Amino acid sequence: MRGGGLLVAGTTSDAGKSVVTAGICRWLVRQGVKVAPFKGQNMSLNSFVTREGAEIGRAQAMQAQAARVEPTALMNPVLLKPGGDRSSQVVLMGKPVGEMSARGYHGGRQQTLFEPVLACLEELRATHDAVICEGAGSPAEINLRRTDIVNMGIARAARLPVVVVGDIDRGGVFAQFFGTTALLAPEDQELIAGYLVNKFRGDVTLLEPGLDMLHGLTGRRTLGVLPYAHGLGIDEEDGLRVSLRGTVRESVVAPPLGADVLRVAVCAVPLMSNFTDVDALAAEPGVIVRFVDRPEELADADLVVVPGTRGTVKALAWLRERGLAGALARRAAEGRPVLGICGGFQALGEHIEDEVESRAGAVDGLGLLPVRVRFAREKTLARPVGEALGEPVEGYEIHHGVADVRGGEPFLDGCRVGAVWGTHWHGSLESDGFRRAFLREVAAAAGRAFVPAPDTSFGALREEQLDRLGDLIEEHADTDALLRLIEKGAPEGLPFVPPGAP
């Protein structure tokens, strides 16, 4: 096999395209297939820095890990990072090339990116046995089909067979499969080769009559029914749901080693980015991580995290409007732990000069750390390595803000004052020894009899989760049919389902 391919589309956003793509990658690599993930265009605030210093979607980095290959910019040539309701930063081949409105992007710029996107896909296909592509949103977004470079546009140009994933947990999955197919042009329908049901609960035999009827209506088989899987903790492409009330970040569920648990509250700031930073905390037995947006929700927290954001000034205003700024100041005065990461670190500082991100000019920070921040037009993209709390640490940096640290104890590239820590480093908590040392500091400051588990390996847990995704595909999908599609493309003679695209 050389240069085989498949596109995993979805009936909706969050149907499970990212995890199904990762699962197929892990299943294939376990069969000895050299495989790579690909997503031509991604809209996400969760991103990652490759070893060559390119910024890509965090989901594609996770899929590369599933495929056991090093992530590169080829796997996600276009990344859109929302900065508001109507504009995004456009990242091309890992580097920012400007801000653009949605109308401007879909009005012309997107089409100019089609050839570079297709070239990246073809380069991956030339060097791998198979490339598993992920679509975006739904392929039946007929208002955007003319400028599509990530769903049927790329599938038709590269002659990729398409499997459509539907989330049955939301309901209406039969209508979603049928409607998605029926709203595509005949040339696009020729590539829709089958369906995958995701997040099914219950007795699959009760579903089978509907699958048979769907086959009769569309001429396409359902190639698997994947069961609902709890606690995968896999990196997500987009943000959490708009309403974060009661959202808990879960990974493993295990009792604490000590007498107490540790409660972590994450401030759900606007344009929150790389909230996956707290997954390593959630992986620790006895650590409970939840997202909050009210000051009273900080009262019982042993650690408060102010996470990254694509809008530091907007996040500052939100913290003040919600009363969270005052609650953070009181925590700092009482010696109760606070951690700021990237944009959260900038917000904890004394002063911000921003003529780049918000263009707000001079803005006062929360004043909890002796740091002044100036936003530079050039983005810092790095993979730093260092030491903190006597332990080695690795991380990655993605920011326009340049920090001038004027005091406190050194902490990674930032500083610490009392029980308030700040750093630009994402991913630092994935370093096991450092995470344990940090949690011991937090427990001591919080007065909790919490003991970090001595053997928790975040990397090993992530590998177990990726293997679970591979198992889902291997055990619940028609892998022979998937392999035929990857090797030979969509079968000839698939029937047209009217009415087709208008």
Side-chain angles (χ1 to χ4, degrees):
M1 183 195 305
R2 174 60 73 178
L6 176 73
L7 188 138
V8 178
T11 57
T12 62
S13 294
D14 203 33
K17 298 183 293 291
S18 294
V19 294
V20 168
T21 300
I24 294 174
C25 285
R26 177 50 60 102
W27 162 65
L28 283 172
V29 78
R30 294 194 310 207
Q31 311 309 307
V33 176
K34 185 180 180 184
V35 59
F38 177 81
K39 184 162 187 172
Q41 172 196 296
N42 194 346
M43 177 173 280
S44 179
L45 287 172
N46 283 336
S47 58
F48 181 76
V49 179
T50 67
R51 294 205 179 279
E52 69 266 28
E55 184 179 10
I56 66 172
R58 178 113 186 157
Q60 278 61 66
M62 175 270 292
Q63 291 161 357
Q65 185 177 352
R68 296 179 180 149
V69 294
E70 189 67 32
T72 73
L74 292 172
M75 297 171 183
N76 180 207
V78 179
L79 173 64
L80 306 178
K81 301 193 73 176
D85 292 337
R86 296 186 179 180
S87 69
S88 294
Q89 182 180 69
V90 181
V91 178
L92 177 61
M93 292 304 294
K95 304 296 181 183
V97 294
E99 296 277 337
M100 188 164 291
S101 69
R103 181 177 293 274
Y105 184 71
H106 289 287
R109 180 60 186 271
Q110 188 178 33
Q111 290 169 298
T112 68
L113 297 174
F114 184 72
E115 289 303 322
V117 166
L118 187 59
C120 289
L121 173 59
E122 292 309 316
E123 185 171 343
L124 287 174
R125 294 182 80 176
T127 54
H128 292 79
D129 299 331
V131 179
I132 307 304
C133 307
E134 180 187 345
S138 162
E141 290 167 348
I142 54 179
N143 55 317
L144 303 177
R145 176 63 184 91
R146 182 178 60 85
T147 57
D148 170 42
I149 65 172
V150 66
N151 289 308
M152 301 313 300
I154 198 77
R156 197 193 295 189
R159 300 308 299 171
L160 292 171
V162 179
V163 173
V164 182
V165 179
D167 179 359
I168 197 169
D169 200 48
R170 294 181 173 187
V173 75
F174 295 117
Q176 291 171 23
F177 284 143
F178 181 86
T180 296
T181 308
L183 278 177
L184 296 176
E187 297 84 354
D188 289 342
Q189 287 196 27
E190 289 175 3
L191 298 171
I192 301 296
Y195 311 113
L196 270 175
V197 174
N198 192 30
K199 300 183 185 178
F200 179 72
R201 309 173 194 246
D203 183 353
V204 72
T205 61
L206 298 177
L207 192 66
E208 288 170 351
L211 301 179
D212 291 339
M213 285 186 273
L214 182 67
H215 184 203
L217 289 165
T218 67
R220 291 155 177 88
R221 291 180 49 234
T222 298
L223 305 180
V225 177
L226 309 182
Y228 195 102
H230 290 278
L232 285 172
I234 292 295
D235 296 347
E236 296 177 54
E237 175 182 291
D238 302 311
L240 297 173
R241 295 290 139 246
V242 174
S243 174
L244 287 153
R245 178 79 50 223
T247 299
V248 176
R249 200 72 174 156
E250 68 170 27
S251 184
V252 297
V253 179
L257 268 67
D260 291 338
V261 299
L262 274 188
R263 293 175 174 84
V264 179
V266 184
C267 296
V269 297
L271 299 174
M272 181 168 51
S273 61
N274 287 64
F275 58 78
T276 49
D277 281 333
V278 300
D279 284 353
L281 296 177
E284 285 285 347
V287 176
I288 301 166
V289 178
R290 59 194 174 105
F291 292 85
V292 304
D293 58 7
R294 293 181 179 179
E296 57 268 27
E297 293 176 301
L298 305 189
D300 67 345
D302 302 305
L303 169 66
V304 174
V305 177
V306 187
T309 171
R310 249 281 278 159
T312 300
V313 170
K314 182 178 288 189
L316 265 170
W318 182 87
L319 289 167
R320 288 180 168 123
E321 290 165 3
R322 293 285 180 132
L324 287 159
L328 289 168
R330 289 190 293 274
R331 286 187 67 90
E334 295 165 1
R336 302 178 66 201
V338 176
L339 171 64
I341 302 173
C342 200
F345 165 45
Q346 297 166 7
L348 297 180
E350 297 170 343
H351 186 76
I352 293 172
E353 290 284 342
D354 182 11
E355 299 293 349
V356 176
E357 190 175 77
S358 68
R359 298 181 176 85
V363 178
D364 288 333
L366 298 183
L368 304 185
L369 290 173
V371 177
R372 299 178 75 84
V373 176
R374 176 186 56 82
F375 275 71
R377 296 201 176 276
E378 186 172 344
K379 181 183 283 190
T380 296
L381 297 169
R383 290 280 293 270
V385 176
E387 183 177 298
L389 305 179
E391 297 286 346
V393 191
E394 296 183 14
Y396 57 99
E397 295 184 65
I398 306 169
H399 53 91
H400 284 279
V402 178
D404 177 11
V405 179
R406 300 187 171 190
E409 301 174 40
F411 178 70
L412 303 178
D413 72 331
C415 65
R416 171 188 182 177
V417 174
V420 180
W421 293 266
T423 177
H424 272 133
W425 291 21
H426 294 290
S428 62
L429 293 166
E430 295 180 19
S431 298
D432 297 326
F434 166 70
R435 182 181 63 254
R436 287 191 278 270
F438 178 71
L439 289 175
R440 283 192 289 269
E441 294 259 353
V442 168
R448 295 289 186 189
F450 171 83
V451 179
D455 55 356
T456 301
S457 167
F458 184 75
L461 286 171
R462 176 53 51 90
E463 279 296 304
E464 290 175 13
Q465 291 162 336
L466 293 171
D467 275 331
R468 286 178 64 194
L469 291 182
D471 293 343
L472 286 175
I473 298 300
E474 187 169 344
E475 297 169 9
H476 300 282
D478 185 341
T479 52
D480 289 340
L482 289 176
L483 204 55
R484 281 195 300 273
L485 292 176
I486 292 167
E487 291 179 331
K488 299 179 180 179
E492 298 288 336
L494 290 170
F496 172 71
V497 180

